[in-house]
Amino acid sequence: MAQIPAEKSVVLDAKGLRALAHPVRVQLLGLLRTHGPATATQLAGRLALNSGATSYHLRQLAAAGFVVEDAERGNARERWWRSVHQLMRFSSEELAEREPEAAMAYLQAVHNTYTMRSQQALNGLQTLPRPWREAFDMSDASLRLTPAEAQEMRDEIWLVVDRYRRAAGDDEPEDADPVWVNVHVLPDVDNAEQEATN
């Protein structure tokens, strides 16, 4: 397994955050990263959108540096798009404080995308081959952690994910398919509010 090279990953800045503060753009970027280059028409079909709106969102992603035209595939009639990065991180509290509306819109767009993916997986679960049904997991755990412990656990989880990540061009088993891994470390907001009032 290989980690994604630095040039294939990006940490969100204010411009990128604002560009991704729309759920369709988060979904488009996810599709291009997972399934490779595509046209606006192909992507529109997958998201049940019209190709004009999809083209607009792709141009916005391109202006922010997330996607580029795939000149090797395109022609005068059909533009193909590909993702520039394979990994994106948003971890700046300072950026969230400077751009609170964009940060919240981006996080909401990501949440909506996770919810959509989970529902699609559930809808198709019974039709998946048995090995994939057995690998399927949707679990949670309630822990009592300090903020430092929560960060440490999150970082360890990402180390495990990175161990299984294949870089473009790596040989992969014949039965390998795309798998979504969503990581949530969510403080219990109700409990924190209750402690603040005591």
Side-chain angles (χ1 to χ4, degrees), residues 24-178:
V24 168
R25 294 179 199 156
V26 172
Q27 292 172 34
L28 287 170
L29 197 51
L31 288 172
L32 290 172
R33 286 180 177 163
T34 303
H35 301 288
T39 66
T41 302
Q42 291 168 334
L43 293 165
R46 291 190 74 133
L47 297 177
L49 298 171
N50 70 58
S51 58
T54 304
S55 292
Y56 168 78
H57 288 300
L58 287 166
R59 289 192 303 273
Q60 297 302 306
L61 288 170
F66 292 116
V67 302
V68 293
E69 281 192 64
D70 191 341
E72 294 178 8
R73 298 173 190 260
N75 57 43
R77 278 180 8 107
E78 202 170 47
R79 295 168 78 181
W80 285 71
W81 298 89
R82 66 175 176 81
S83 173
V84 174
H85 311 100
Q86 287 301 308
L87 178 66
M88 179 173 49
R89 304 262 175 159
F90 170 59
S91 58
S92 171
E93 184 60 31
E94 179 186 324
L95 177 57
E97 289 175 358
R98 278 188 288 129
E99 300 278 346
E101 292 85 8
M104 187 55 69
Y106 166 71
L107 292 173
Q108 189 66 51
V110 169
H111 170 73
N112 290 345
T113 300
Y114 289 172
T115 302
M116 180 195 69
R117 288 178 190 157
S118 297
Q119 191 61 57
Q120 287 173 337
L122 285 172
N123 291 347
L125 183 61
Q126 296 306 316
T127 63
L128 289 174
R130 185 181 187 97
W132 279 118
R133 290 196 312 271
E134 291 174 352
F136 179 90
D137 183 47
M138 188 176 283
S139 304
D140 67 359
S142 178
L143 308 174
R144 294 190 66 82
L145 304 174
T146 67
E149 288 172 329
Q151 289 180 28
E152 184 179 348
M153 182 186 67
R154 178 201 62 202
D155 293 345
E156 287 181 27
I157 291 169
W158 277 110
L159 287 173
V160 172
V161 170
D162 285 341
R163 259 196 1 245
Y164 286 88
R165 192 185 309 277
R166 292 186 176 89
D170 282 357
D171 287 334
E172 63 180 38
E174 193 175 297
D175 60 345
D177 283 316

